[in-house]
Amino acid sequence: MNCAVCPEKECRNGKDCLKLAEEMKELYGEREISLIKTAASVEAEYYMKKTRIEEIILFGEKMGYKKIGLAFCIGLEKESREIYSIFKEHFKVYSTCCKVCGIDKTEFDLDKIDKTRDETMCNPIGQASFLNKKKTDLNIIIGLCIGHDILFTEHSEAPVTTLAVKDRVLAHNPLGAIYSNYYRNKLNKSK
């Protein structure tokens, strides 16, 4: 089975291709049911009407969240400041940039962008640790690098959602690569 290439998507009409529906339902405990009910409520009520930022606010309010954490890339500092100002109208907001703690890349023998100068490493575990100490209810990723987002998510005690995905080439819109014939052809040639 490979859903990405399935032409029918009969699951949308209730077909259980894997014959695992009953087993999957057992994986939903009280916490998961609360999250999925709230998500379905936001989707049903505001489908095609609200931006992702608005949806996060609505979701957080419906879940009764009080404290939101922002884990952002320093390259998106300006955007993060604006996002912070929006969320602070609804929640107590804590934010942490990727360079938190100022650990030099040489500490872990990490590759540098510019080998002629000192460079501070990104610290997604430090970001998660800071937000864990603040006991945030929800953490939001804003443009963390690939791999750093994975580590942050693994180490966050609060649920994590992504607001922005880093893509320096396509203005942080990674789907632009498949909407552009140029990039699609370029990506297909790299196979």
Side-chain angles (χ1 to χ4, degrees):
M1 185 184 90
N2 195 337
C3 295
V5 293
C6 172
E8 304 301 325
K9 305 290 186 296
E10 292 182 55
C11 55
R12 142 183 35 212
N13 298 317
K15 182 178 179 186
D16 180 7
C17 299
L18 297 176
K19 309 292 185 239
L20 292 173
E22 292 307 312
E23 183 180 329
M24 293 299 109
K25 287 192 268 185
E26 291 176 22
L27 299 176
Y28 287 85
E30 188 177 319
R31 179 181 162 276
E32 291 82 8
I33 291 170
S34 175
L35 283 166
I36 204 148
K37 277 186 174 184
T38 303
S41 169
V42 170
E43 178 190 27
E45 192 171 345
Y46 301 105
Y47 190 75
M48 302 275 299
K49 297 176 186 168
K50 300 290 183 184
T51 66
R52 179 67 173 210
I53 289 174
E54 292 170 307
E55 287 181 344
I56 291 171
I57 292 167
L58 290 162
F59 180 85
E61 289 175 343
K62 286 177 179 267
M63 287 296 294
Y65 293 160
K66 304 291 182 219
K67 295 189 277 186
I68 301 291
L70 304 179
F72 68 93
C73 169
I74 204 163
L76 290 165
E77 177 184 8
K78 180 181 172 196
E79 293 85 348
S80 296
R81 188 176 296 117
E82 185 67 28
I83 292 163
Y84 172 88
S85 72
I86 294 167
F87 284 135
K88 78 176 180 140
E89 299 297 319
H90 304 271
F91 309 99
K92 174 73 177 161
V93 182
Y94 297 94
S95 64
T96 175
C97 79
C98 58
K99 302 297 184 179
V100 67
C101 300
I103 303 169
D104 194 276
K105 283 186 173 182
T106 58
E107 292 290 326
F108 295 107
D109 193 30
L110 302 176
D111 290 341
K112 294 181 177 184
I113 297 169
D114 182 350
K115 293 175 185 14
T116 65
R117 64 178 184 86
D118 291 338
E119 286 184 20
T120 301
M121 68 176 246
C122 293
N123 185 5
I125 296 174
Q127 289 176 291
S129 177
F130 170 76
L131 296 174
N132 290 343
K133 286 178 182 163
K134 297 299 181 184
K135 302 210 177 298
T136 52
D137 299 308
L138 175 68
N139 290 329
I140 301 164
I141 291 175
I142 304 170
L144 297 184
C145 293
I146 182 66
H148 301 160
D149 56 352
I150 295 167
L151 284 170
F152 176 81
T153 302
E154 283 181 358
H155 290 269
S156 174
E157 292 172 3
V160 177
T161 192
T162 300
L163 177 58
V165 176
K166 178 175 286 165
D167 190 322
R168 294 175 186 96
V169 174
L170 295 172
H172 310 300
N173 176 21
L175 289 179
I178 62 170
Y179 297 137
S180 160
N181 284 335
Y182 170 78
Y183 273 106
R184 218 170 50 243
N185 290 335
K186 186 177 175 182
L187 292 170
N188 287 335
K189 288 178 184 175
S190 66
K191 287 181 182 178

